[in-house]
Amino acid sequence: MCSSDLNEMDKVEALCPKIKAAPTEDGVRVLALYYASQGRTADAEKALALLDGLDLPPGRRETVLADYYSQFGSRDQAMAAFLAATKAAPQDPITWYRLIIAHILLGEGDKAVAAAAEALKGLPEDAVLRLVEQYARSEARRGGEECRARWAP
């Protein structure tokens, strides 16, 4: 690592206590991802624990966890968090989009279609959800192999 890289890392490190002192959803998300990218799993988990002290809308905590687990956890952890987000906020279409897309990226087209059908029961007029449903159906017909190769948490 060259000296300019070290200098930049020092700048990032100097910001971490500020984020911890006044955490926000996005601040915690970035802090946890930063720590994990540096191999500092314990610090990342401590950062994620800050979510418990925030007054977040339903499903948001679970979404941050899903993002983290998608990159630094297991597939099972990520999918459990995506599913938990839809349970916590069933009327929030974004939680459903993300669950459905995660299934697609894992090559689980049938599960993506089932999740889309469940989502549409509560959000029948959501145009983006209908588009995501069609995408899921297309991937289910193709078998999802192309997507599975792109995301393997």
Side-chain angles (χ1 to χ4, degrees):
M1 192 176 282
C2 67
S3 61
S4 64
D5 290 341
L6 290 173
N7 188 32
E8 290 302 314
M9 295 308 290
D10 289 343
K11 289 178 184 177
V12 171
E13 283 297 324
L15 295 172
C16 293
K18 294 176 184 175
I19 295 170
K20 287 189 251 182
T24 63
E25 175 186 350
D26 290 331
V28 169
R29 180 189 317 265
V30 172
L31 189 62
L33 294 174
Y34 165 71
Y35 283 145
S37 74
Q38 300 300 306
R40 296 166 57 185
T41 305
D43 288 332
E45 290 173 1
K46 287 178 189 172
L48 291 171
L50 294 171
L51 293 169
D52 295 333
L54 300 179
D55 184 24
L56 298 174
R60 298 300 272 276
R61 176 185 178 279
E62 295 83 358
T63 299
V64 173
L65 294 174
D67 289 343
Y68 175 80
Y69 294 139
S70 293
Q71 293 182 52
F72 296 103
S74 72
R75 169 185 170 162
D76 290 343
Q77 288 173 307
M79 295 311 292
F82 281 124
L83 185 59
T86 65
K87 299 291 185 212
Q91 292 303 119
D92 181 350
I94 293 172
T95 64
W96 288 103
Y97 306 155
R98 297 188 71 208
L99 174 65
I100 296 163
I101 296 299
H103 279 306
I104 290 169
L105 291 174
L106 288 169
E108 300 172 345
D110 291 340
K111 289 181 180 180
V113 170
E118 183 67 26
L120 284 166
K121 288 179 188 175
L123 300 161
E125 302 301 318
D126 191 288
V128 176
L129 190 53
R130 292 244 174 242
L131 175 64
V132 173
E133 176 198 30
Q134 290 305 311
Y135 178 34
R137 289 185 186 287
S138 171
E139 287 300 318
R141 283 191 296 275
R142 291 177 14 166
E145 290 303 318
E146 191 176 317
C147 286
R148 187 180 3 260
R150 289 187 296 224
W151 191 47

